Amino acid sequence: MNGTIEQVRARVADQKTRQPELYGRIDFDATPERFTEDPADSVAPKSVAGAEPTAEQLALVRAYTLLGDRVADAYAGLMPQHGFRGLIAMLTRACEEGVEAVPDAPPELVAFIRDMEHVPDWVDMDLVREGARLDRNAAANLSPFAIRGAFVATFMNRYAALPMALTGTLGNETAARRVNETASFFTSTLLPGALERQGEGFKAAAMVRLMHSMVRFNALRRPGAWDPKVYGVPIPQVDQMPAGLIPIFLLSYKLLRQGRTTFTPAERAKVELARYRCYLLGLPEDLLADTPVGVVQTMTARNQTLRKGFDDETCGALVRATLAAYLPPDRSWRNRLFDTVERGFAKVFFLRQFMGGDVAAAARMGVTITAADRALFGLVAAIVTSRMLAYGLALKVPGLRDLADRDLVAQLRRHLARYGHAEFTTDAAQYRPTTGGAAKPATA
């Protein structure tokens, strides 16, 4: 464990001492409205038999619900002096050339980089590299079609979705940029050596981490934009778990339903990749289990304590903006065709993976499934499955393994070019206040 519950609570309370200008008005002894102790009022009232969260796990989730990112938050707190572009420029140089290359590097930047450079004892980097190699197949063939559907899934709860609404992501253009940035981040982490100190994925993780802290800084300091009594801390540690661990959670859930309680070596490598990637984003070991039971317990603890609530102004608007966004870089006939196919696939993927196939519930969220969508999903699924099977077989043949892997890496680089340059920035001038009214009953 990363620490006892008392130690975690102490780190939470220490935020007010370290950054009173940011956390000074938050009462860390009070429970925000978003947190519930009644699973019936949560987004996930049930769990898999044998994987129910323990009392300690529930207590840890409550504590981490109020924890931001101490080192990245401290660096983001320098925005009044350096501006957000100045902070990005220094962080970029520190990632690419080392923090020693930054003239008069602020102590906060040094602490941020040193924190990311540290590889904890519980991480097996050989497994991380193997996990990245294994994940390239799905990332090259499936992810371009599934990323929008997975992104929409993060907007199903008003308490967790509010930061995205505040940052102005309700517009189609901004929504497209956020989807492409998310795809770019996860894709970049799978390139050979990407998560090493000088790798592209390491730099991308640092930029995402800073962006999250900038959102916290702007949301908490902007008058009337954020109510800590209702929402707690913007983008707390527990709200970063779904994006980083959804594939691992779905895998673990499936295994437990099948009666399996251990990962195969290949599955374990993919889990280790996800754990280290999340660690680089600031998540603690407490939230990064390495067994199917542990993964399901931890994610269920988060979901069973997140109060259900869906309001159309926040969640519905984000869903509609994301589904309406045009993701390709231009409007050539090839890209327009891809947009039509990808959009249809993403909607059905979202329905099947995150809505349990409930068409009516999806429609109430703004996701309407047509016969054409289902046909496109079936067509793409057949093509993607056959391609992944072919590459999977090639990766097991000694004479073809390296050739297949090089081809997958080349595909990932083409995808990155298609996603465009990821800025991973957030500008307070673009923030849009929300009403912050009472939560409406969840429709999903």
Side-chain angles (χ1 to χ4, degrees), residues 97-292:
E97 304 175 36
V99 71
E100 297 80 10
V102 179
D104 301 318
E108 292 85 354
L109 173 61
V110 176
F112 185 9
I113 291 295
R114 296 293 182 246
D115 183 77
M116 291 194 63
E117 288 176 336
H118 172 69
V119 179
D121 294 338
W122 51 267
V123 171
D124 184 331
M125 288 304 296
D126 288 334
L127 274 182
V128 170
R129 298 182 190 99
E130 177 65 5
R133 187 186 70 82
L134 293 172
D135 265 5
R136 286 174 199 146
N137 190 356
N141 293 298
L142 175 61
S143 292
F145 296 98
I147 186 66
R148 190 198 302 253
F151 197 72
V152 169
T154 64
F155 303 145
M156 295 170 65
N157 180 270
R158 73 186 288 261
Y159 298 101
L162 185 61
M164 288 295 278
L166 283 176
T167 57
T169 313
L170 298 177
N172 293 357
E173 182 178 341
T174 309
R177 180 163 64 90
R178 291 302 187 209
V179 173
N180 282 328
E181 284 182 341
T182 300
S184 178
F185 167 69
F186 284 103
T187 302
S188 69
T189 63
L190 299 179
L191 297 173
L195 294 180
E196 309 295 336
R197 171 59 184 85
Q198 303 299 325
E200 299 167 66
F202 181 97
K203 175 184 172 183
M207 300 303 291
V208 170
R209 197 165 168 178
L210 175 59
M211 179 183 68
H212 288 163
S213 286
M214 286 179 169
V215 171
R216 291 188 200 98
F217 182 90
N218 290 326
L220 290 173
R221 286 171 58 92
R222 192 176 182 87
W226 191 266
D227 186 350
K229 295 180 181 179
V230 176
Y231 300 101
V233 170
I235 319 180
Q237 298 294 342
V238 293
D239 281 358
Q240 297 182 64
M241 290 169 56
L245 297 175
I246 278 181
I248 302 306
F249 170 70
L250 293 176
L251 169 64
S252 300
Y253 192 91
K254 177 182 177 181
L255 297 185
L256 294 182
R257 294 290 294 270
Q258 294 175 346
R260 286 174 51 192
T261 57
T262 59
F263 293 117
T264 65
E267 291 165 348
R268 182 65 185 84
K270 294 181 179 182
V271 170
E272 194 71 353
L273 166 67
R275 296 174 81 216
Y276 185 57
R277 187 162 51 198
C278 286
Y279 168 78
L280 288 178
L281 292 175
L283 273 73
E285 182 187 3
D286 293 337
L287 303 180
L288 303 174
D290 61 357
T291 66

Side-chain angles (χ1 to χ4, degrees), residues 418-430:
R418 183 185 187 86
Y419 299 142
H421 174 68
E423 296 183 353
F424 300 121
T425 62
T426 178
D427 184 357
Q430 303 299 320

Side-chain angles (χ1 to χ4, degrees), residues 333-400:
W333 72 268
R334 292 180 184 276
N335 278 331
R336 283 185 281 116
L337 175 61
F338 173 81
D339 176 73
T340 299
V341 174
E342 174 272 327
R343 196 190 307 266
F345 179 92
K347 289 163 64 177
V348 180
F349 178 82
F350 168 78
L351 174 71
R352 291 164 65 105
Q353 292 293 330
F354 304 105
M355 299 299 295
D358 191 333
V359 176
R364 290 194 294 270
M365 295 186 67
V367 184
T368 302
I369 310 297
T370 67
D373 294 330
R374 294 186 183 277
L376 289 172
F377 178 86
L379 175 63
V380 172
I383 295 173
V384 167
T385 300
S386 63
R387 285 179 60 86
M388 288 182 63
L389 179 60
Y391 275 103
L393 292 173
L395 290 169
K396 295 178 181 178
V397 179
L400 296 177

